[in-house]
Amino acid sequence: MRVQKSVLMVALLCGLTACSHKHNAAMVSDAGMNGAMPYGAGTGQYSADQSQGGRYVNPLTAPSHQVYYFAFDSNEVDPTDYKALSIQANYLVSHPNAKVRLEGSTDDRGSREYNVGLGWRRDQAVARLLEQQGVQPNQINMISYGKERPAAMGNDDAAFSLNRRVELVYEAE
Amino acid sequence: MGRGCRFLGWFLGLLGVGLISLPAYAVLDLELTQGVAAAIPIAVVPFSGGGAAGQAAVSQIIAQDLAHSGEFRVQGPTGLGQNPTTPNQVDVAYWRSQGDDNVVVGSLEAMGGGQYRATVSLVGVYGGQATGRTLFTQSFTAPAESLRAVAHRMSDLIYQQLTGVRGVFSTRVAYIVVQRLGGGHSRYALDVADVDGFHPQTLLVSDEPIMSPAWSPDARKLAYVSFEGKRAAIFVQDVLTGSRMRVSNAPGINGAPAFSPDGRSLALVLSTSGNPNLYLLDLASHHLRPLTSGWSIDTEPVFASDGRSLLFTSNRDGNPQIYRYNLENSAISRVTYSGEYNAKASLSPDGRLMACMHREGGQFYIAVQDVPTGRVDVVSQAGSDESPSLAPNGKMIIYATTSGSQGMLAQVSVDGRIRLLLPAREGSVQEPAWSPFVN
């Protein structure tokens, strides 16, 4: 029974799908997030100093990277995010060629594929708010990572709350 | 070599890895942490012959296989006082005095051209003449590099003879390895190894997640979800040749592939209706048949081995529970009623046992449900247990657990009495999938 040498399949697109967009760094380090060890930005899209220690604060400018956090077992967008989200919506409406990708995530608890479904529900909630403000569906791509791309490692509420999120990433401005 | 090959080579060099060869060491270690009290006592005697240095001793592999099953108390192959290599050399009085019920003896003979003839005999020391009762003798001819596989086949025969159940020592396990690289980057790999952790083989490396490996019934292919290019898609990859095909690339979710028992279809999850629902994809015609619909999250389909129904996870009653979908009349019935969260079902081939991920007291455990009676037993302990996959003989479950922040694999027998840990040497291991019997 000969087993052939395996073929290593490489599927790598790091750095090749660069989305150029401006960050306005407005990071606030939250001393209350004890125990959470953010190992880095979830998708590598925000710079290291923005991810130190806690939550990403959404710039009130567009186009800008956004992270919307969710409460446990919830897919309702927090009302404190409405303003930043509206600013993105207005930008998208006035720039019909602009596109965003919504990347939904969950905390580390539960089955992996079921969590893909939960992340999807969060994407849908954000997309619905954008579309209610006139954004065209074809300007919105959605992907759910479930619990596969944590922004913070750790088995405590601090880490869990940093992972329950939708990231809004500009694919085209 | 064309430009494509050179680019690939450069790319691999950039990654710092090369084509993965097949080292004969284990990336996963096996530690038996609990075995049965009434284990079958057996002696495994070193084989005669043995051939060139570097071949793992066949008798050593057999002894480890039987010991790791948790059902045998194994003596040898070292430290034994006698060394029979054929059944007529077995002195039953001696082995009885050692407390053994059975003795494994054998030989290796070089045939030239790198081929070996390996012979094994299982001798019962009770109920026979002075040299015991030969339960079976079997010979194999194989090249040197296949002697590990031959040893596993011998273990299968011994196991089946003495327990009545088909052994799984020749099966394989697929799993995902994750390495966190810092700066928000991770490396994900889809690996396949022998069930004892040897001959690890990487099928895919990516900097985007890989999920849900699922074996084809002939154990030749794996379906899985890959997020390469920042979109979820389902691929089917040939384990021997490495060649692969993308079979589902709809916008949104493409998830949880599962082969039908005839290998011709994949059940999977798509969100094209707006909700994650189940579909059946014919791999030849690409025809897509919707199975479930509605507002709920439906996912994790797994076929019953008669192909007439499948189990799946759904939150249609509030929290995730497991349901059965009848493929003939589309009827849906609920299967799990114990606990507020049940997901990721894995079915035994006879359909009588179902392993699943089960939440109690806010913690996740592996539970086994007796399908005819509905009785549920929790068989794992860590509270962070997930992704159960039943062995094809229905006796053992492999699953994922954590130790601190590191993901590792573990095995437990369906009655909870036998436990093994399989820590990985590097990275975090998750989502194991036990192969079908390999022919």
Side-chain angles (χ1 to χ4, degrees), chain B residues 45-50 82-91 95 103-108 119-123 137:
Chain B
V45 181
F47 282 29
S48 70
Q82 291 193 3
N83 201 350
T85 60
T86 60
N88 59 10
Q89 295 172 358
V90 172
D91 169 6
W95 296 103
V103 184
V104 177
V105 301
S107 61
L108 283 172
T119 302
V120 65
S121 296
L122 178 65
V123 178
T137 295

Side-chain angles (χ1 to χ4, degrees), chain A residues 1-2 6-11 13-14 41 101 110-114 120-121 124 143-145 147-149, chain B residues 12 18 145-146 184 188 201 203 205 207-208 212 227 229-230 237 256 271 274-275 295 300 315 320 341 386:
Chain A
M1 183 176 94
R2 265 194 79 96
S6 65
V7 175
L8 175 66
M9 300 295 296
V10 178
L13 287 169
C14 62
R101 182 175 64 245
S111 113
R112 292 181 185 275
E113 285 283 4
Y114 182 74
W120 179 256
R121 289 274 185 246
Q124 285 180 308
I143 183 173
S144 169
Y145 284 110
K147 66 183 200 178
E148 306 303 303
R149 294 215 72 157
Chain B
L12 292 176
E145 65 264 25
S146 297
Y188 303 85
Q201 166 192 359
L203 292 182
V205 174
D207 69 341
E208 290 282 322
S212 303
F227 286 76
K230 294 195 179 295
Q237 187 161 356
S271 59
N275 288 304
W295 65 271
E300 297 173 334
N315 67 346
Y341 186 127
E386 58 180 41

Side-chain angles (χ1 to χ4, degrees), chain A residues 6-7 18 24 52 56-57 64 66 86-87 101 107 117-118 121 127 140 164-165 170:
Chain A
S6 65
V7 175
N24 287 327
Q52 290 305 322
Y56 181 83
V57 174
S64 69
Q66 304 275 298
S86 277
I87 289 166
R101 182 175 64 245
D107 66 36
L118 291 181
R121 289 274 185 246
I140 306 171
R164 292 189 298 262
R165 70 198 192 282
Y170 279 82

Side-chain angles (χ1 to χ4, degrees), chain B residues 316-397:
Chain B
R316 53 191 55 216
D317 283 332
N319 274 335
Q321 298 288 349
I322 292 167
Y323 296 79
R324 187 183 295 269
Y325 180 94
N326 184 312
L327 285 159
E328 285 155 11
N329 62 14
S330 305
I332 294 176
S333 53
R334 182 164 158 175
V335 173
T336 52
Y337 289 93
S338 165
E340 78 266 19
Y341 186 127
N342 289 285
K344 185 68 173 77
S346 178
L347 260 181
S348 63
D350 63 9
R352 301 179 63 86
L353 284 182
M354 180 191 80
C356 68
M357 194 179 164
H358 171 88
R359 190 175 75 195
E360 252 178 43
Q363 307 274 77
F364 286 96
Y365 302 94
I366 306 304
V368 175
Q369 178 160 328
D370 184 276
V371 175
T373 65
R375 178 197 154 126
V376 175
D377 289 304
V378 172
V379 295
S380 76
Q381 300 160 332
S384 56
D385 305 322
E386 58 180 41
S387 306
S389 176
L390 269 164
N393 66 358
K395 288 200 73 171
M396 293 292 292
I397 302 165

